[in-house]
Structures are given as C-alpha cells and as structure tokens.
Amino acid sequence: MSWLILVLSGVFEAVWATALGRSEGFTKPGPTSLFVVALAISMAGLAYAMRDLPVGTAYAVWVGIGAVLTVVYAMITGGQPISVLRVFFLLMIVGGVIGLKLAN
C-alpha cells in the first residue's frame, strides 16, 4: 500500500510543479489554488509512505516520478522540445525508480 500511495504522491508532485509554473508567482488564483491542494496531498502521501519505506528510497522515487511526469507533460503541451536525448535521460530516471523499487 505504501508504494501505491508513494506513486500517487509522485503524480501529485507533477501536478503541483506544473501549477506552480502556471501560477506566475502566485498571481493567478486558479493555478495557485491547485498548487496548494496538490502540494498538501503530495506531501501527506510522501509522509505516509515514509512510515514503511526508507526515507532515501521514498524521496528519490517521489522526486523521480514527479520530475518525469512534469517534463513529459511539458513536452506534450509544447512547453519543452522533444528530443531523443531528453527521452533517453527520462527513461534513465524511470529505470532508476524501478531499480529502487526492486532493490527494496
């Protein structure tokens, strides 16, 4: 259950990171509200997962999921260019996250 909560928390990390960028310095109420809610859910889930998982592993997986999803979303929406190298390095992060799960 902790792994599922951790993965969902990583998804919410991508949501709050994207909302933070769209809030334009907290001047837009919609993205700012989404940022606050997603941040709270993401942090609560991370804290819950850390009750059963090692801190280093949980944090690395959480950051990895959030970072990859944030970049993938930006590439899909045109916020960042898509390149073979960018995709390769994102896959390396995914491989690292999977490796941490398998090593646990």
Side-chain angles (χ1 to χ4, degrees):
M1 183 65 151
S2 293
W3 279 101
L4 176 62
I5 298 294
L6 183 61
V7 169
L8 292 173
S9 296
V11 172
F12 277 101
E13 184 196 1
V15 172
W16 70 250
T18 301
L20 178 61
R22 293 186 178 210
S23 75
E24 296 183 13
F26 301 121
T27 60
K28 291 188 170 184
T32 299
S33 298
L34 181 58
F35 163 77
V36 171
V37 171
L39 178 67
I41 292 169
S42 180
M43 290 293 172
L46 176 62
Y48 179 86
M50 284 183 175
R51 292 171 27 183
D52 295 324
L53 301 172
V55 172
T57 299
Y59 183 70
V61 168
W62 179 77
V63 169
I65 291 168
V68 168
L69 291 178
T70 301
V71 173
V72 168
Y73 179 79
M75 289 190 308
I76 290 170
T77 60
Q80 289 189 2
I82 300 172
S83 72
V84 172
L85 277 178
R86 188 178 303 264
V87 171
F88 172 74
F89 289 119
L90 288 172
L91 289 172
M92 287 181 62
I93 294 172
V94 171
V97 166
I98 292 169
L100 286 170
K101 165 62 174 126
L102 295 175
N104 192 21

